[in-house]
Amino acid sequence: MNIKSLLFLLPTFMLSQTLQAQTQKKQSATAHKLTTSFVPNGKWRGVFEIKPGVEVPFNFEITKSDTKPHLIFLNGEERFDGGVVKQTADSILVALDQFDNELAFKITGDSLVGTLRKQDGSGKPLAVNASRGNPYRFKPKGKNPAADFSGKYDITFKSPTGKDENAVGLFKQNGNKITGTFLRVTGDSRYLEGIVEGNDFYLSSFIGSSPSYYKGSFSKDGTITGETVSARGNTPFTGKQNQNAALPDVYKLTFLKDGYKTLDFSFPDVNGKKVSLSDEKFKNKVVILTITGTWCPNCVDEASFIAPWYKENRNRGVEVIGIHYERQLDSAYVRKALTRFRDKFDIQYDQVIAGTPDKKIVSESLPALNNFISFPTTIIINKKGEVAQIHTGYSGPATGQYYTDFVKEFNAEIDGLLKE
């Protein structure tokens, strides 16, 4: 092509570039208009597809705020703060820092479509969509409950290995709505919410970790059958109504090996400073050790109790050490996870890192312990530096009277040790 031809085409090229720039500017303005006009505040119903054909609903609210809007998970009586809502051109991102996850939504009309994924991009994302203004969790089919199935149940979970696990089921029904939880020696399933249709029930829960889903049937003779459903597989359970249903004694499940009176450890905090029971700070004090992890929902419940309790009681001669077992041990991850945990619950006691969340690792790092079962496990040390009590698992606020009894027993134990 000669110079004259190029000169002839130049104005056309420049016009094309100008039109393209104008089009992009209009598209950008349109996107901005759509963004500013979409206000996510209000109540939403979300649905996870945990595997093909299996959907798990949950409810949340995006609160209106003068500073930063927050996503609040709604489960039964609980309102759990999930995190700050960040809105961009055509999407919404909620960093679920408590569990190192995030909800990433694309705005589609007045709906949200996206995924639940790890913040570092690892693992397999879980598909999720949400619609605004739907007040229900499980969509009712118009079938009335066959009866009121409220009460306490002896439950037996059948594990894939064939080993039975005893539990207690607590249910409260109001019309076709049902709430409840399952207590195990390892902790409770927190706040479950759902529906009763005839004899069938469906329960779910979500606070940012992974969705929980239970379904089953009640019978007229007081029996219950069901299963907990997850992406990894189903775990069946059976049970029978029993107002005297109870777990094994949680104070006798984990104990010290013969010849031991205390725990001997030296673990670093996020700054590398070693913390040990022999430190001057803990001498002649009652010390509470909590074996915990930021990834653990029951540990979240325990921290929400222990953190404010410590602030109210520290001047009485008590200390707390959170012994963490985390999914990753590199310094950057540990600092991020423990700092987030500390900030969320305003933790003012020592936190140390001891290993990964494996029962074998716990046993190796705390060799005086026999039969470690659960995160969390709470150990109370008397003023002499000796183990006075070991409590396996945690019964959180969702367990009602069980939680009330735990708090009463905990305070009574501490009061008694402080008088010694």
Side-chain angles (χ1 to χ4, degrees):
M1 184 177 291
N2 57 37
I3 296 297
K4 289 183 177 181
S5 298
L6 286 173
L7 291 173
F8 175 78
L9 291 175
L10 185 59
T12 303
F13 173 76
M14 292 177 65
L15 177 61
S16 175
Q17 291 294 97
T18 302
L19 289 172
Q20 186 177 358
Q22 290 175 344
T23 300
Q24 290 175 343
K25 186 176 181 179
K26 288 180 180 179
Q27 290 175 341
S28 177
T30 301
H32 177 72
K33 184 178 180 180
L34 287 172
T35 302
T36 55
S37 64
F38 182 85
V39 180
N41 301 331
K43 292 187 176 181
W44 294 77
R45 176 180 183 265
V47 177
F48 288 107
E49 185 177 7
I50 61 172
K51 53 187 174 182
V54 180
E55 295 184 340
V56 180
F58 66 106
N59 302 101
F60 63 94
E61 181 179 3
I62 296 179
T63 60
K64 185 177 182 180
S65 173
D66 293 334
T67 54
K68 297 178 180 179
H70 279 245
L71 184 146
I72 309 296
F73 292 112
L74 307 174
N75 295 287
E77 301 173 2
E78 184 184 43
R79 292 174 59 86
F80 188 92
D81 190 347
V84 174
V85 177
K86 297 180 180 179
Q87 187 173 349
T88 58
D90 62 349
S91 63
I92 286 176
L93 182 69
V94 185
L96 309 172
D97 289 342
Q98 180 59 60
F99 302 104
D100 208 33
N101 287 338
E102 61 186 17
L103 281 169
F105 289 115
K106 182 177 178 61
I107 300 169
T108 306
D110 200 39
S111 299
L112 303 174
V113 178
T115 60
L116 170 69
R117 64 195 186 195
K118 300 300 293 183
Q119 290 183 6
D120 63 3
S122 63
K124 185 178 179 180
L126 190 60
V128 58
N129 62 74
S131 55
R132 181 160 35 192
N134 292 318
Y136 58 86
R137 175 161 296 207
F138 291 90
K139 189 173 183 179
K141 300 176 182 178
K143 192 174 183 180
N144 293 326
D148 185 345
F149 300 107
S150 301
K152 188 186 297 185
Y153 291 73
D154 267 322
I155 301 290
T156 301
F157 284 92
K158 304 284 186 180
S159 73
T161 61
K163 184 179 179 180
D164 292 349
E165 180 186 1
N166 294 328
V168 175
L170 303 175
F171 304 103
K172 186 184 295 184
Q173 186 180 332
N174 183 8
N176 70 339
K177 294 183 178 180
I178 187 170
T179 56
T181 194
F182 292 88
L183 284 77
R184 309 192 198 196
V185 294
T186 54
D188 62 271
S189 54
R190 304 193 79 260
Y191 292 88
L192 299 172
E193 179 182 344
I195 192 171
V196 177
E197 297 269 324
N199 291 313
D200 299 329
F201 69 89
Y202 306 89
L203 291 160
S204 67
S205 178
F206 180 66
I207 59 169
S209 178
S210 57
S212 298
Y213 178 37
Y214 297 78
K215 65 177 184 177
S217 298
F218 296 103
S219 298
K220 292 181 180 179
D221 62 0
T223 58
I224 180 176
T225 59
E227 58 184 350
T228 173
V229 184
S230 71
R232 298 177 181 177
N234 300 2
T235 302
F237 62 84
T238 58
K240 188 172 181 63
Q241 193 165 24
N242 178 8
Q243 293 308 307
N244 296 315
L247 292 173
D249 190 340
V250 293
Y251 297 102
K252 295 181 179 180
L253 297 175
T254 301
F255 46 91
L256 291 183
K257 294 176 182 176
D258 290 342
Y260 288 91
K261 291 185 177 181
T262 191
L263 301 178
D264 184 16
F265 63 82
S266 181
F267 299 131
D269 63 14
V270 294
N271 297 313
K273 178 186 175 183
K274 292 294 184 70
V275 176
S276 171
L277 276 176
S278 61
D279 294 345
E280 188 67 28
K281 177 180 181 178
F282 306 112
K283 287 185 178 179
N284 200 36
K285 289 185 178 180
V286 174
V287 183
I288 301 157
L289 307 177
T290 171
I291 300 176
T292 186
T294 61
W295 49 271
C296 161
N298 291 130
C299 300
V300 167
D301 285 340
E302 186 192 45
S304 67
F305 164 71
I306 288 288
W309 182 93
Y310 174 68
K311 287 188 289 185
E312 293 174 5
N313 291 273
R314 63 191 304 175
N315 293 330
R316 299 174 63 202
V318 296
E319 289 294 339
V320 178
I321 304 174
I323 304 177
H324 283 254
Y325 292 82
E326 298 297 330
R327 287 171 172 163
Q328 299 178 39
L329 297 182
D330 64 274
S331 58
Y333 179 86
V334 168
R335 179 179 292 277
K336 177 183 71 172
L338 268 65
T339 299
R340 286 174 172 176
F341 202 65
R342 192 176 195 85
D343 291 346
K344 183 174 181 64
F345 299 106
D346 192 21
I347 292 173
Q348 297 181 12
Y349 50 80
D350 289 283
Q351 294 172 283
V352 297
I353 182 70
T356 53
D358 182 279
K359 293 178 182 179
K360 183 179 179 181
I361 298 296
V362 176
S363 298
E364 290 174 351
S365 58
L366 298 171
L369 284 185
N370 200 338
N371 196 37
F372 177 79
I373 297 174
S374 172
F375 295 94
T377 289
T378 308
I379 304 170
I380 300 178
I381 310 292
N382 64 22
K383 291 181 181 180
K384 298 178 182 179
E386 301 171 343
V387 171
Q389 184 186 89
I390 301 178
H391 184 284
T392 296
Y394 189 77
S395 297
T399 67
Q401 189 61 45
Y402 288 85
Y403 173 70
T404 302
D405 291 345
F406 163 76
V407 173
K408 183 178 179 181
E409 292 164 2
F410 177 86
N411 282 309
E413 179 71 12
I414 298 298
D415 290 344
L417 293 175
L418 287 173
K419 292 176 181 178
E420 292 181 353

